[in-house]
Amino acid sequence: MNNNWNKAIYKIWSPIYDKFFNSGSFLNSRKIIFQEKSFHSAQKILFVGVGTGADLELINHYGLDITAIDYSPEMLNKAKKKFTNTSIQFLEMDAQQMNFMDEQFDIVVGSLILSVVPDANKCFDEMVRVLKKDGELIIFDKFSPKGKKPSLFKKTLRPVIKVLGTDIGLNFEELYEKQKLKLRIKEDVPIMFDGMYRKVIVTK
């Protein structure tokens, strides 16, 4: 995967993305995650890889200080059309190299982004960088099972699936290991498909 390829892939995905990832099990999982989380107006909130705005539809966003970024202009335009009368700031931006100051946000949300960017380590590092001390990073994504090595079939299939724009072998523990001195895991629970998708909350 690379940025140009991802941009092309999500140009194709944008018209049908909501049918797959904003319905059924994905929608139910998003509801669980965001119904358990309250936001307030004093917080600066960042949605990384906001896509079509599926997460934003599940929160009471009025009066909140929200910035939402995505690398795909087509996905971002679909999100903008859903929220024309709000103060949400939508920006086209690379999640692996954000144009924000260090420790700018109280809450950073990364929903189905780490598994689709070309370099998950860079993206995770950037989310940690822009998060304020004592802030929360909320992650919803697919990861390899804890303490288990991927099967030969999965190893073989992984590069093929990457071409379609997603990584089926991402290991959260490896991402966290490089930043563990700055972070604390507050919650790590299976959320969908027998634990393939997890909800992870870390604090800085």
Side-chain angles (χ1 to χ4, degrees):
M1 292 189 291
N2 60 54
N3 276 343
N4 290 332
W5 180 248
N6 265 17
K7 188 169 280 191
I9 286 291
Y10 282 93
K11 182 176 182 178
I12 297 170
W13 266 110
S14 60
I16 57 174
Y17 185 89
D18 280 346
K19 292 181 180 179
F20 289 90
F21 299 105
N22 195 15
S23 62
S25 296
F26 283 97
L27 178 57
N28 290 335
S29 296
R30 291 180 193 271
K31 285 180 177 178
I32 291 170
I33 292 167
F34 292 103
Q35 284 175 354
E36 293 177 350
K37 180 63 185 176
S38 60
F39 302 94
H40 57 78
S41 59
Q43 296 171 323
K44 289 182 67 67
I45 305 161
L46 174 66
F47 282 77
V48 180
V50 72
T52 61
D55 294 336
L56 296 174
E57 293 180 87
L58 300 175
I59 66 173
N60 183 9
H61 51 82
Y62 292 100
L64 297 180
D65 184 353
I66 295 175
T67 302
I69 69 168
D70 204 280
Y71 194 66
S72 165
E74 288 79 16
M75 299 285 276
L76 203 60
N77 285 334
K78 286 188 72 70
K80 287 179 181 178
K81 289 177 181 178
K82 294 179 181 179
F83 304 96
T84 53
N85 297 315
T86 73
S87 60
I88 299 171
Q89 183 180 20
F90 291 96
L91 300 173
E92 185 178 333
M93 192 181 297
D94 185 355
Q96 303 162 114
Q97 193 172 3
M98 299 187 216
N99 301 326
F100 300 123
M101 296 183 298
D102 294 355
E103 301 191 350
Q104 186 170 338
F105 297 94
D106 299 282
I107 297 176
V108 176
V109 179
S111 186
L112 304 180
I113 179 66
L114 288 170
S115 59
V116 302
V117 291
D119 192 325
N121 280 290
K122 284 185 178 179
C123 183
F124 187 71
D125 290 350
E126 278 291 272
M127 290 195 289
V128 172
R129 179 184 69 80
V130 302
L131 184 67
K132 290 181 181 179
K133 186 178 179 181
D134 298 322
E136 281 191 347
L137 171 56
I138 303 171
I139 297 168
F140 167 51
D141 220 319
K142 60 179 175 292
F143 298 108
S144 297
K146 297 179 189 178
K148 291 185 180 180
K149 293 183 178 181
S151 65
L152 179 60
F153 175 74
K154 193 171 185 178
K155 285 182 179 179
T156 305
L157 194 62
R158 186 181 183 187
V160 178
I161 298 298
K162 272 191 173 184
V163 174
L164 299 177
T166 191
D167 188 352
I168 59 171
L170 189 62
N171 187 295
F172 175 75
E173 285 66 40
E174 290 179 2
L175 295 176
Y176 180 79
E177 179 68 22
K178 296 176 182 178
Q179 291 281 358
K180 67 179 183 180
L181 296 179
K182 299 178 183 178
L183 305 175
R184 178 178 65 86
I185 296 177
K186 184 177 180 180
E187 187 175 351
D188 184 354
V189 295
I191 203 79
M192 192 173 77
F193 295 164
D194 197 29
M196 178 180 180
Y197 286 80
R198 286 151 62 184
K199 169 190 175 184
V200 182
I201 298 180
V202 299
T203 57
K204 186 173 181 180

